Amino acid sequence: DAGVTQSPTHLIKTRGQHVTLRCSPISGHKSVSWYQQVLGQGPQFIFQYYEKEERGRGNFPDRFSARQFPNYSSELNVNALLLGDSALYLCASSFGTENTGELFFGEGSRLTVL
Amino acid sequence: QKEVEQDPGPLSVPEGAIVSLNCTYSNSAFQYFMWYRQYSRKGPELLMYTYSSGNKEDGRFTAQVDKSSKYISLFIRDSQPSDSATYLCAMRASSGSARQLTFGSGTQLTVLP
């Protein structure tokens, strides 16, 4: 069975640009969450989506947005990139919203902002 | 002060040693506690998942939660070189809008053969 897949795996952008990261959850999982992991730190919650609706949002500026599609895949968009946005962006899926403890993570998209 | 504090290490032990990893937290609303393992350049992998206080054992791994002290631990017995990774504690509240996980900063473990 395929796990959580994310694309692209690596990308380099310059300040002020926009980036779109994509995630496909495990088959049958309806909830997708996004986390940002800065080097040397633990992941920090950005968004959770369930059945195409936003169910939670972390302490991130409005430059960060996301959406979930009818097939439960998801996109994370970041506008007006800053150097501090350089991080590993992790997508995680779970069957529902309650058992978010049993999150299954993808391998991440590593974003470098120059 | 961070909601979850975790000793970043690095921690280096010989093969076969017992490893103890710990986290403290300040939010009394946390009810679910997890340990994730993250290999270099990979996503976190769930190791242990516990609810409220108590112990849970799975093979060489034992997770302990002491809610009165706001302290959780992960013990690894008979540690192996393949256990070398960063270990992240994570926790969340049981209801309401706070369904996201709050992670510690991770402890980097190296098991020497």
Side-chain angles (χ1 to χ4, degrees), chain B residues 34-82:
Chain B
M34 289 129 269
W35 286 94
Y36 283 82
R37 177 175 62 195
Q38 186 173 26
Y39 291 112
S40 180
R41 301 190 175 277
K42 299 289 187 182
E45 170 194 13
L46 181 65
L47 279 178
M48 301 290 282
Y49 176 69
T50 57
Y51 171 70
S52 196
S53 288
N55 295 352
K56 184 175 182 179
E57 186 173 324
D58 184 1
R60 296 184 295 111
F61 299 91
T62 300
Q64 289 185 351
V65 175
D66 182 349
K67 289 190 65 182
S68 63
S69 300
K70 296 188 176 66
Y71 187 87
I72 69 171
S73 300
L74 177 71
F75 296 95
I76 306 174
R77 292 183 298 279
D78 187 24
S79 56
Q80 302 295 310
S82 59

Side-chain angles (χ1 to χ4, degrees), chain A residues 73-87:
Chain A
S73 67
S74 178
E75 283 184 354
L76 175 70
N77 294 282
V78 187
N79 293 323
L81 286 168
L82 303 174
L83 295 179
D85 296 331
S86 296

Side-chain angles (χ1 to χ4, degrees), chain A residues 16-33:
Chain A
Q17 285 189 313
H18 163 270
V19 68
T20 298
L21 307 177
R22 296 177 176 83
C23 172
S24 293
I26 292 171
S27 178
H29 283 191
K30 299 180 179 180
S31 177
V32 169
S33 299

Side-chain angles (χ1 to χ4, degrees), chain A residues 2-23:
Chain A
V4 177
T5 57
Q6 293 186 243
S7 64
T9 55
H10 296 82
L11 68 166
I12 299 173
K13 295 284 188 178
T14 57
R15 283 178 295 174
Q17 285 189 313
H18 163 270
V19 68
T20 298
L21 307 177
R22 296 177 176 83
C23 172

Side-chain angles (χ1 to χ4, degrees), chain A residues 25-102:
Chain A
I26 292 171
S27 178
H29 283 191
K30 299 180 179 180
S31 177
V32 169
S33 299
W34 288 94
Y35 286 78
Q36 180 196 64
Q37 187 175 24
V38 173
L39 191 64
Q41 298 295 317
Q44 188 173 359
F45 174 75
I46 310 175
F47 286 110
Q48 182 191 19
Y49 275 79
Y50 178 73
E51 292 282 11
K52 296 174 290 181
E53 292 188 1
E54 182 181 304
R55 292 300 187 96
R57 183 185 182 114
N59 188 23
F60 280 81
D62 291 343
R63 299 185 296 107
F64 289 77
S65 63
R67 56 179 175 168
Q68 187 177 32
F69 299 100
N71 66 353
Y72 304 111
S73 67
S74 178
E75 283 184 354
L76 175 70
N77 294 282
V78 187
N79 293 323
L81 286 168
L82 303 174
L83 295 179
D85 296 331
S86 296
L88 180 67
Y89 288 86
L90 294 162
C91 175
S93 75
S94 60
F95 181 74
T97 58
E98 288 298 330
N99 56 338
T100 53
E102 298 187 54

